[in-house]
Amino acid sequence: MTDLMPARVRFAPSPTGRMHLGSARTALYDYLLARRTGGTFILRIEDTDRKRYVEGAEEELIEGLRWLGLNYDEGPDIGGPYGPYRQSERREIYYHHAWELVERGAAYPCFCTPDRLAKLREEQMRRKENPHYDGLCRHLDLGEARRRIANGEKYVIRFKMPKEGVTTAVDLLRGEIHTANNVLDDAVLLKSDGLPTYHLGAMVDDHLMKITHVIRTMEWLPSLPLHVNIIRAFGWDEPVWVHPSVFLKPSGKGKMSKRDAADAMKDGYSIYLGDMRALGFIPEGVLNWIALMGWGVPEDDIMTLDEMIQRFDIRNLTPSPAAINFARLDHFNAAHIRRLPTEELAARIKPYFLNAGLQVDDERLLRIVPLIRERLVTLDDCLPFAAWFFKENVEPKPEELVAKNLTPAQSAEIARKAFEVLSGLPVLTVESAEPPMRALVERLGLSPGQVFGILRVAVTGQTVSPPLFESMEIVGKEKVLQRLQRAIEMLERM
Ligand code: GLU
């Protein structure tokens, strides 16, 4: 079957901004198809739009792919047999190909000035027409055109779009798409700065790099007839076209805007990969989340990258747009955190403690991980649950030491009793401490919540913590008793 032949796929971002989850998902589908078919995953940087070029964006893209574990086989920083992989370094290739189309009669030099084009556009808008090039230079004599170029006149090269007939293109997810040629424009292929537009650059590179499948979001569908015509004018074979859907904002109404992105950030979410990482999302969770926004497998499947490779079938991508649902990101992130081996999770949360200025004892960290693993939605949740483990002293709020429906004096009395029980133990472990403490609760005729609540706040300094007895065992008898003693004094002073 053709879809199991080794595919050559490229992720071809433009370095024009920050890497967001839309690009990450395209890269993921590229990667999955390449790995599923034993093929090749290529990174190509499409940096020919110098006006939109953003310094540092390429580095961020590479960093993002690395973080996600989407390792490419050919790319600008690692090279490969079809390089260079940065379009700005392939200038001569495009120039040569643009002129090849001119020679074939499928393209032409155009000398219209930006001024003329602006006026043309204005008039067309006034007449309520779609702006398009009127074809003034389409019929210029080529010899004459060459003379004007030799004289130093500025020009672009435009595609000579057939004016009659229909272009039929096939998208793997959407089937045949028919477009009447008379609505298609004579698009610019080579700009006056000598660099190609996306239309030329991408088609030439996809051909020369032997790309078998082009996966790009459906925003590119309107350009598909043009692209198909360019490829046919060269006499090349077309790749398989795959245009997955775009993402919609969480409300499902329209595309995510800068403002929506800022709103998401306020809630601890982001559409930018770099932010997601800083917010404590893990690559496994992010990948699983974006994979299923546009891939028709049962909703709740928790999959690692390797498991996705096993199950990936490009024909199961869905053409309909998906609204971004951050609650599902939480769901997948938490699920993948739970799946991480203890050592691995310890290594991933350690930096959060260090950044909070805490000293981390690795052995203690390994004992804490099983206690908090189930409660982490993001990695940084480790701080509210477990930072106190690495503090010399905790600072309970006196009022939180007072048990529900009891007075400070009664709470102090309970704390003293607990102190007695715990100080009488030869060692403090879950097994040694829990039964006598439960017996104490019974004897006092109180609820476990009342008694253990006092203990929890005294020992951890907070009202929410990992399981109490396990935590006390890690803290150790001596410290537990010190903290309890201090709590008793605080309660007595109230
Ligand atoms: N450079 C284009 C973009 O960033 C790539 C589209 C494609 O994959 O062909 O949108």
Side-chain angles (χ1 to χ4, degrees):
M1 255 182 15
T2 48
D3 58 314
L4 282 179
M5 278 174 44
R8 280 183 61 84
V9 274
R10 85 300 189 278
F11 172 49
S14 299
T16 53
R18 304 188 59 198
M19 183 168 186
H20 54 76
L21 51 99
S23 348
R25 190 191 60 168
T26 301
L28 172 61
Y29 291 160
D30 284 326
Y31 177 87
L32 291 175
L33 180 64
R35 294 292 172 265
R36 175 80 190 121
T37 59
T40 309
F41 174 44
I42 298 148
L43 172 65
R44 181 173 78 219
I45 299 293
E46 302 204 325
D47 58 347
T48 60
D49 190 343
R50 302 316 283 180
K51 285 193 227 89
R52 293 180 58 219
Y53 182 81
V54 172
E55 203 65 53
E58 179 180 323
E59 288 72 16
E60 183 174 327
L61 282 157
I62 290 179
E63 177 61 26
L65 292 175
R66 257 199 213 118
W67 180 66
L68 291 172
L70 302 179
N71 302 320
Y72 42 91
D73 310 302
E74 299 171 22
D77 53 337
I78 55 172
Y82 301 93
Y85 293 91
R86 207 176 274 117
Q87 288 190 325
S88 58
E89 294 164 19
R90 299 169 64 80
R91 201 180 258 268
E92 290 74 29
I93 298 177
Y94 309 120
Y95 178 85
H96 164 82
H97 280 87
W99 276 100
E100 182 182 330
L101 284 188
V102 175
E103 307 292 346
R104 285 168 174 258
Y108 58 93
C110 167
F111 299 92
C112 292
T113 59
D115 201 34
R116 171 170 193 270
L117 295 174
K119 285 205 182 100
L120 183 65
R121 204 185 144 82
E122 243 171 61
E123 273 166 37
Q124 290 170 338
M125 306 267 272
R126 214 176 17 246
R127 292 201 300 266
K128 305 230 176 332
E129 287 172 20
N130 281 336
H132 61 278
Y133 181 60
D134 63 355
L136 181 69
C137 296
R138 189 169 161 127
H139 305 291
L140 275 183
D141 173 68
L142 190 53
E144 165 69 13
R146 285 190 197 281
R147 267 192 300 281
R148 287 173 70 174
I149 292 169
N151 276 340
E153 228 180 293
K154 274 198 154 194
Y155 72 102
V156 301
I157 290 183
R158 286 184 185 275
F159 189 62
K160 198 184 273 181
M161 186 58 93
K163 287 292 163 214
E164 272 143 36
V166 170
T167 297
T168 300
V170 181
D171 173 90
L172 186 73
L173 311 177
R174 300 158 197 274
E176 283 190 0
I177 299 165
H178 306 281
T179 314
N181 288 341
N182 61 11
V183 303
L184 298 173
D185 202 2
D186 282 1
V188 173
L189 301 177
L190 196 72
K191 296 177 288 180
S192 60
D193 62 4
L195 281 167
T197 56
Y198 166 73
H199 308 304
L200 179 70
M203 294 316 109
V204 167
D205 287 347
D206 287 344
H207 171 72
L208 295 178
M209 295 178 180
K210 299 198 164 44
I211 300 303
T212 58
H213 296 68
V214 167
I215 306 176
R216 55 182 191 184
T217 51
M218 61 178 282
E219 286 159 306
W220 290 109
L221 268 181
S223 309
L224 182 58
L226 166 66
H227 296 163
V228 163
N229 274 292
I230 293 174
I231 291 174
R232 290 178 189 162
F234 277 115
W236 297 334
D237 286 335
E238 281 176 56
V240 176
W241 303 103
V242 188
H243 294 86
S245 59
V246 289
F247 296 147
L248 303 178
K249 60 172 94 183
S251 66
K253 296 193 188 96
K255 279 186 61 185
M256 210 59 194
S257 67
K258 284 235 163 80
R259 180 141 159 225
D260 300 319
D263 281 350
M265 200 66 191
K266 281 187 221 133
D267 297 331
Y269 298 110
S270 178
I271 56 165
Y272 299 110
L273 228 51
D275 293 344
M276 293 173 100
R277 178 180 190 171
L279 289 166
F281 292 101
I282 61 172
E284 293 88 340
V286 174
L287 284 171
N288 204 156
W289 180 53
I290 57 180
L292 297 190
M293 282 199 267
W295 173 13
V297 294
E299 277 279 289
D300 237 31
D301 275 9
I302 307 296
M303 293 182 278
T304 60
L305 199 49
D306 283 339
E307 289 160 343
M308 287 186 218
I309 294 172
Q310 298 313 315
R311 296 178 53 181
F312 189 67
D313 183 339
I314 191 151
R315 290 167 302 193
N316 289 343
L317 297 185
T318 52
S320 43
I324 293 174
N325 180 342
F326 288 116
R328 294 193 59 72
L329 171 59
D330 282 345
H331 164 77
F332 286 116
N333 206 66
H336 281 281
I337 285 180
R338 285 198 292 274
R339 273 185 160 206
L340 293 178
T342 299
E343 292 73 28
E344 179 61 28
L345 183 50
R348 295 213 206 175
I349 59 178
K350 185 173 173 180
Y352 290 87
F353 294 118
L354 296 178
N355 286 341
L358 298 165
Q359 287 205 345
V360 178
D361 176 89
D362 287 325
E363 205 191 312
R364 173 169 284 205
L365 180 59
L366 285 176
R367 294 174 71 192
I368 293 168
V369 165
L371 303 187
I372 61 172
R373 170 187 278 129
E374 298 290 324
R375 319 202 44 179
L376 303 183
V377 173
T378 49
L379 290 177
D380 57 344
D381 287 345
C382 66
L383 288 175
F385 286 125
W388 65 271
F389 274 112
F390 300 109
K391 291 182 180 156
E392 198 49 40
N393 298 305
V394 294
E395 300 300 334
K397 293 200 187 79
E399 65 277 13
E400 289 180 350
L401 284 165
V402 181
K404 208 170 166 204
N405 301 327
L406 299 177
T407 63
Q410 289 168 316
S411 303
E413 181 56 21
I414 296 168
R416 278 192 292 270
K417 294 237 157 67
F419 187 96
E420 256 166 53
V421 170
L422 296 175
S423 61
L425 301 173
V427 280
L428 196 167
T429 62
V430 177
E431 291 74 26
S432 71
E434 192 164 356
M437 284 304 296
R438 294 214 176 263
L440 175 66
V441 170
E442 294 250 320
R443 247 193 351 266
L444 295 173
L446 295 166
S447 74
Q450 286 173 307
V451 178
F452 298 159
I454 301 173
L455 216 50
R456 182 187 310 280
V457 176
V459 175
T460 72
Q462 51 197 51
T463 53
V464 178
S465 80
L468 178 61
F469 289 98
E470 280 82 351
S471 299
M472 291 203 298
E473 181 176 323
I474 292 174
V475 173
K477 180 176 164 186
E478 195 185 332
K479 269 237 156 79
V480 167
L481 291 178
Q482 267 172 24
R483 291 182 184 179
L484 202 45
Q485 182 56 42
R486 192 158 162 247
I488 293 167
E489 286 158 18
M490 288 172 92
L491 282 164
E492 284 172 349
R493 276 201 303 273
M494 280 180 84

